[in-house]
Amino acid sequence: MSRRAEPILNLPTVIAGMIAVFGLVHVVRELVLTPAGKLDFLLLFAFIPARYGGLPAIEAALPGGLPADLWTFVTYAFIHGDLTHLGVNVLWLLPFGSAVARRFGTGRFLAFFAATAAAGAALHLVTHGPELLPMIGASAAISGFMAAAIRFVFQVGGPLGVFRNTDSTAYLVPAAPLLDALRDPRILAFLLVWFGLNILFGIGSVGMLGVDQPVAWQAHIGGFLAGLLLFPLFDPVRFDGGMR
């Protein structure tokens, strides 16, 4: 019998579907819509802090009303500026999103994506006031997947643990309690690099490949913190290793 392919080569269906949706949205926006249609699309689905600034004239000019006030906390994550922006996010989604999808399953994964995207948008809103510049991209949600993944991938028997498994059970090891995880030198090194890069984005020392406008680094941090703190609410694996 031939050896089964390693899990990393078996892309979870929800990840493949999400990448397809990202691609479809980009194709429609770039190749199907007129310039006016592209603008309307952004006004309707991108996250625009000015929607919540309390200025009636601006709020009246933005389409969608109250429903758009709600759905844009998530829909902005499906829109990307160009192919490079899309490609960079897909490259980060593949390892971290796949690890979380294998652990959570489709339903929990999608709910977690929405929660971390919304958390990123919320922190962006708090730090940008009534700004008109739209925010787009899946980076905040992907940051949430990064935070969720570090809760279990380094555990004994996990996919990156010292004594690792190579099958699907590697993604179902009990997660480390948050305080224990924050004492792990590997996780601390990851956090140092991750937050350091986002601080550099914030002060303008480095730019993010594929993004022509300022990087919404506050949204990255919002998504990451949400992923770190909300992980236990979505995790189907009990501390003793069983399933809920």
Side-chain angles (χ1 to χ4, degrees):
M1 295 179 65
S2 61
R3 184 181 178 184
R4 187 178 61 180
E6 295 295 328
I8 195 171
L9 301 178
N10 301 327
L11 194 63
T13 301
V14 68
I15 298 295
M18 183 161 284
I19 293 171
V21 172
F22 288 167
L24 179 61
V25 168
H26 192 72
V27 167
V28 169
R29 181 167 165 257
E30 293 299 316
L31 301 180
V32 177
L33 298 179
T34 64
K38 292 179 184 180
L39 177 59
D40 290 341
F41 186 85
L42 282 178
L43 293 177
L44 191 57
F45 295 111
F47 185 79
I48 303 174
R51 281 185 177 277
Y52 315 93
L55 298 175
I58 292 178
E59 293 175 7
L62 294 173
L66 178 60
D69 291 349
L70 300 176
W71 74 49
T72 55
F73 272 89
V74 177
T75 55
Y76 79 92
F78 292 90
I79 309 169
H80 293 85
D82 57 26
L83 285 176
T84 307
H85 185 202
L86 173 60
V88 168
N89 275 343
V90 167
L91 285 176
W92 286 107
L93 176 66
L94 286 172
F96 294 102
S98 294
V100 175
R102 291 187 179 108
R103 186 179 183 93
F104 281 6
T106 298
R108 292 173 188 261
F109 176 89
L110 292 175
F112 193 76
F113 178 90
T116 50
L123 189 56
H124 182 78
L125 174 61
V126 168
T127 55
H128 284 72
E131 187 176 81
L132 278 169
L133 187 67
M135 180 179 70
I136 56 176
S139 299
I142 293 170
S143 296
F145 293 143
M146 292 180 184
I150 65 174
R151 296 290 300 273
F152 65 90
V153 295
F154 295 114
Q155 292 296 94
V156 174
L160 297 180
V162 176
F163 303 103
R164 69 189 68 180
N165 290 327
T166 58
D167 58 25
S168 60
T169 61
Y171 298 93
L172 300 178
V173 296
L178 180 57
L179 291 180
D180 290 348
L182 294 178
R183 297 188 187 103
D184 188 317
R186 296 164 298 178
I187 293 176
L188 289 175
F190 180 92
L191 292 175
L192 181 63
V193 172
W194 190 88
F195 277 99
L197 283 174
N198 277 279
I199 290 171
L200 290 176
F201 291 151
I203 64 178
S205 297
V206 297
M208 186 173 180
L209 182 65
V211 180
D212 294 327
Q213 66 184 50
V215 175
W217 61 276
Q218 295 97 331
H220 297 178
I221 291 176
F224 190 92
L225 292 177
L228 202 63
L229 298 174
L230 296 179
F231 173 82
L233 300 180
F234 292 86
D235 188 19
V237 182
R238 297 194 304 265
F239 184 74
D240 60 8
M243 299 294 288
R244 291 178 184 171

